[in-house]
Amino acid sequence: MILVVLLLILAALVYDSNTRIVEDTYTVANGRLPEGFSGFRVVQLSDLHTTRFGENNSKLFEMVRGQAPDIIAVTGDLIDEERDEDYVRELMTGLTQIAPVYYVTGNHEWASGWVRDLFSILEECGVNVLRNKYVVLERNGDTIVLAGVDDPNGPYDMKTPRELVSEIREEMGDPYILMLAHRNDEIDMWSELGVDAVLCGHAHGGLIRLPFTEGLIAPGREFFPTYTSGIYRQGGTQMLVSRGLGNTSFSLRLFNNPQVVTAVFEREI
Ligand SMILES: [Fe+2]
């Protein structure tokens, strides 16, 4: 009897940990941010793995809309193995009605076998696909650079992050750079390149979040990973790691609810 009760409690916890979305707001403060971007709000959605929240993703849309974002950043692993074009169209049609959407690939896109078709669908939906490129954002008369890199599992001859940042500096001088990147383990590189802020995911919060740890399991199945949730600082770089929203085929979350991240940028003197 006790065993049955314990199993029921565990089942309820697992259900909650995989279906109830939470929202967390982080402040990214830096003296290099132009004044016009004080209060700039980015909603970050990472690692959806074709997961829906509510009918036709209605719960997710409601939560994102409630955060009143200036832009929405989708940081990779949007899809999983299964080809699901309807999911992508439904999600991106909903999100682009809320705010401009910027997207970078994760490792799962490159493993999916339909990444080229995915790019076409995203572009049809009005999503800005940042494949080792950058755009200039303007707000209250000031500008910053928003850049995005493909996951390292992309084409072997693609432009490297180093080349992208050099290109930005050659063309734009020394702007504030906000980078979108799927991987969570490259803070050394971003810091060396002098990127101001990075939004990433990939870690799924370490799947099972236990007290005093960064979660239990890394995406590569190693135990006790690092850089799985929240803001990490190195030099002048701040890297914000989302715990993500979905799961890969055989994994489950525990004490690690799907997370909608809002990054609020502030100028700090
Ligand atoms: Fe990933």
Side-chain angles (χ1 to χ4, degrees):
M1 184 62 190
I2 290 171
L3 188 64
V4 172
V5 170
L6 287 176
L7 281 174
L8 283 174
I9 291 171
L10 182 65
L13 284 171
V14 168
Y15 180 78
D16 178 84
S17 297
N18 289 274
T19 56
R20 183 174 56 81
I21 326 176
V22 297
E23 44 195 339
D24 290 302
T25 301
Y26 298 89
T27 302
V28 181
N30 176 324
R32 279 174 40 82
L33 187 77
E35 185 57 48
F37 277 79
S38 279
F40 179 60
R41 296 173 72 81
V42 181
V43 163
Q44 183 197 4
L45 306 176
S46 200
D47 302 85
L48 275 151
H49 292 275
T50 56
T51 311
R52 283 182 174 85
F53 297 91
E55 205 183 334
N56 303 325
N57 251 327
S58 54
K59 273 192 199 167
L60 183 65
F61 294 146
E62 193 184 318
M63 194 170 269
V64 173
R65 194 174 289 112
Q67 288 295 334
D70 289 282
I71 65 166
I72 298 166
V74 178
T75 50
D77 284 2
L78 164 64
I79 58 172
D80 216 279
E81 269 75 62
E82 200 182 318
R83 187 180 179 111
D84 192 344
E85 295 187 15
D86 291 345
Y87 173 84
V88 176
R89 286 184 202 282
E90 175 192 288
L91 176 79
M92 292 307 184
T93 304
L95 291 179
T96 51
Q97 284 171 16
I98 300 171
V101 178
Y102 295 86
Y103 162 85
V104 291
T105 54
N107 46 310
H108 279 262
E109 278 84 341
W110 295 104
S112 72
W114 61 288
V115 68
R116 303 281 162 190
D117 295 346
L118 174 68
F119 292 148
S120 307
I121 295 166
L122 290 170
E123 272 157 20
E124 276 169 37
C125 294
V127 173
N128 303 285
V129 178
L130 293 179
R131 298 198 54 210
N132 309 310
K133 62 182 250 192
Y134 71 92
V135 293
V136 177
L137 299 183
E138 206 179 318
R139 191 172 189 267
N140 301 322
D142 281 325
T143 56
I144 63 167
V145 160
L146 173 68
V149 290
D150 267 334
D151 185 84
N153 280 12
Y156 76 93
D157 58 349
M158 67 185 177
K159 191 186 295 172
T160 64
R162 187 173 300 277
E163 287 165 344
L164 175 62
V165 172
S166 301
E167 188 181 297
I168 293 170
R169 297 241 162 80
E170 271 163 35
E171 294 169 6
M172 299 294 300
D174 184 24
Y176 183 97
I177 302 175
L178 166 58
M179 183 67 70
L180 307 183
H182 179 63
R183 301 278 175 141
N184 62 322
D185 54 2
E186 293 178 322
I187 196 168
D188 290 348
M189 176 181 76
W190 298 123
S191 168
E192 193 199 318
L193 295 177
V195 167
D196 296 283
V198 188
L199 300 182
C200 55
H202 184 61
H204 294 209
L207 291 183
I208 298 171
R209 287 196 74 80
L210 302 174
F212 313 112
T213 71
E214 288 264 5
L216 191 62
I217 305 166
R221 302 286 175 241
E222 303 89 11
F223 284 103
F224 299 111
T226 50
Y227 304 121
T228 61
S229 177
I231 295 183
Y232 302 87
R233 291 177 177 79
Q234 189 164 309
T237 300
Q238 293 179 70
M239 181 176 82
L240 172 48
V241 183
S242 162
R243 298 195 295 276
L245 286 136
N247 294 309
T248 51
S249 328
F250 297 108
S251 64
L252 283 174
R253 292 162 175 266
L254 189 57
F255 310 122
N256 178 23
N257 290 65
Q259 184 192 35
V260 169
V261 163
T262 302
V264 181
F265 291 77
E266 298 291 353
R267 180 174 167 83
E268 184 182 70
I269 307 294

